[in-house]
């Protein structure tokens, strides 16, 4: 587990590593770049190619070591609901999250079909936030799949946002994150798309978090939207941390 600069979380925990690309949002995958770097540095955990999914049972105990409550992003270097990860291992990850209950966990996937299929076999505790990534209109079906799960807190990561999402159904959704792509050749995100999503969240009473504009110099582009930051968190979390 490690500290992270990702704006909407506190720590990362990676009980699995590796992934394969599944949709346009994967084009400049951060995990792939980091994996390649760590592999070149000789880190044993990353000794296999990125496309080889690996489970790391030896890392399942890590959340117990953190005595202070943390906000933990589970699998910044993989997708927990990848078809190559056995359901039995996923269940173990959820069992740890249930038992190490003083933390809050954020799990994010693009494999919303497997997520919905596995959901009845998962023990959904209150401290687990389950999210799906949606980068464009073509993938809004993932939100319906998320809605079918037993997750107590549900969120959307609309990042990298590469198209407008004018008709989001936010029923049952607690939190929405929006972010633009960064890197050497990022696909641009239009201001109107972001403003529209912010308005939809406001109308639906859903917490809105604006992560970044992105671009070739994401630091310079910043994360102000119409002169302010949007750092809202799911209601239950805000209520407990005020
Ligand atoms: S699903 Fe996520 S981790 Fe996997 S390739 Fe796509 S962006 Fe990378």
């Amino acid at each position: 587990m490690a500290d992270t600069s990702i704006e909407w979380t506190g720590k990362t925990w990676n009980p699995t590593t590796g992934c394969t690309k599944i949709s346009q949002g994967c084009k400049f995958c951060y995990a792939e770049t980091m994996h390649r770097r760590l592999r070149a540095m000789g880190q044993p955990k990353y000794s296999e190619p990125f496309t080889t999914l690996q489970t790391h049972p030896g890392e399942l105990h890590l959340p117990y070591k953190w005595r202070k409550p943390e906000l933990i992003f589970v699998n910044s270097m993989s997708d927990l609901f990848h078809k190559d990860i056995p359901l039995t291992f996923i269940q173990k990850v959820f069992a740890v999250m249930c038992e190490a209950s003083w933390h809050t966990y954020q799990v994010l996937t693009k494999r919303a079909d497997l997520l919905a299929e596995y959901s009845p076999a998962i023990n959904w505790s209150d401290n687990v936030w389950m999210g799906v990534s949606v980068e464009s209109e073509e993938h809004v079906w993932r939100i319906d799949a998320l809605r079918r799960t037993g997750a107590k807190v549900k969120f959307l990561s609309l990042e990298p946002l590469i198209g407008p999402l004018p008709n989001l159904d936010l029923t049952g959704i607690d939190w929405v994150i929006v972010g633009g792509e960064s890197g050497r050749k990022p696909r641009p995100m239009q201001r109107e798309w972001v403003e529209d999503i912010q308005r939809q969240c406001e109308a639906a009473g859903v917490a809105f978090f604006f992560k970044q504009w992105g671009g070739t110099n994401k630091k310079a582009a910043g994360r102000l939207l119409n002169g302010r930051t949007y750092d809202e968190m799911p209601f239950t979390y805000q209520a407990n941390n005020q």
Side-chain angles (χ1 to χ4, degrees), residues 19-22 25-26 29 31 50 77-79 110-111:
C19 200
T20 51
K21 298 191 177 188
I22 191 168
C26 299
C29 174
F50 179 63
M77 298 294 288
S78 184
D79 186 334
K110 284 191 177 68
R111 274 82 181 178

Side-chain angles (χ1 to χ4, degrees), residues 37-58:
R37 207 171 287 166
L38 294 165
R39 192 165 181 236
M41 286 163 64
Q43 295 253 348
K45 188 174 173 183
Y46 299 92
S47 57
E48 295 293 331
F50 179 63
T51 49
T52 305
L53 273 288
Q54 281 189 285
T55 59
H56 301 281

Side-chain angles (χ1 to χ4, degrees), residues 60 80-81 85-98 118-123:
L60 285 172
L80 189 61
F81 289 89
I85 306 285
L87 174 58
T88 48
F89 191 79
I90 296 172
Q91 287 169 320
K92 281 182 190 161
V93 172
F94 274 83
V96 170
M97 295 193 285
C98 182
Y118 289 171
S119 176
I122 286 172
N123 179 13

Side-chain angles (χ1 to χ4, degrees), residues 41-242:
M41 286 163 64
Q43 295 253 348
K45 188 174 173 183
Y46 299 92
S47 57
E48 295 293 331
F50 179 63
T51 49
T52 305
L53 273 288
Q54 281 189 285
T55 59
H56 301 281
E59 307 228 342
L60 285 172
H61 69 289
L62 284 175
Y64 299 104
K65 288 181 142 185
W66 290 78
R67 300 312 306 166
K68 198 165 72 68
E70 302 281 1
L71 193 54
I72 298 170
F73 178 25
V74 183
N75 275 353
S76 60
M77 298 294 288
S78 184
D79 186 334
L80 189 61
F81 289 89
H82 193 285
K83 64 174 175 40
D84 293 349
I85 306 285
L87 174 58
T88 48
F89 191 79
I90 296 172
Q91 287 169 320
K92 281 182 190 161
V93 172
F94 274 83
V96 170
M97 295 193 285
C98 182
E99 211 174 60
S101 60
W102 54 96
H103 299 306
T104 301
Y105 301 88
Q106 300 157 312
V107 185
L108 185 59
T109 187
K110 284 191 177 68
R111 274 82 181 178
D113 42 2
L114 263 192
L115 164 68
E117 189 184 319
Y118 289 171
S119 176
I122 286 172
N123 179 13
W124 292 102
S125 50
D126 292 351
N127 60 330
V128 174
W129 304 357
M130 188 66 231
V132 293
S133 298
V134 177
E135 61 268 47
S136 64
E137 189 81 20
E138 195 184 328
H139 303 291
V140 290
W141 65 269
R142 291 177 185 153
I143 307 174
D144 293 324
L146 173 65
R147 248 188 293 274
R148 292 200 299 275
T149 70
K152 305 287 179 7
V153 178
K154 301 182 177 74
F155 73 98
L156 310 180
S157 171
L158 313 180
E159 185 193 12
L161 188 64
I162 55 173
L165 294 170
N167 300 305
L168 284 173
D169 179 356
L170 294 172
T171 312
I173 302 301
D174 300 283
W175 189 38
V176 171
I177 303 165
V178 173
E181 194 160 63
S182 53
R184 272 188 303 142
K185 287 185 181 168
R187 291 161 285 185
M189 176 177 69
Q190 305 297 320
R191 169 177 292 276
E192 303 80 64
W193 304 345
V194 185
E195 289 174 341
D196 179 43
I197 292 166
Q198 188 273 322
R199 276 193 298 267
Q200 291 182 65
C201 287
E202 196 170 309
V206 174
F208 176 76
F209 191 105
F210 184 51
K211 185 182 165 213
Q212 63 173 36
W213 285 105
T216 46
N217 185 347
K218 71 170 188 173
K219 223 174 188 171
R223 50 191 302 268
L224 290 181
L225 174 62
N226 294 327
R228 58 159 290 190
T229 50
Y230 286 85
D231 289 330
E232 293 166 8
M233 299 298 261
F235 176 72
T236 44
Y237 187 78
Q238 276 183 189
N240 291 335
N241 287 275
Q242 269 170 2

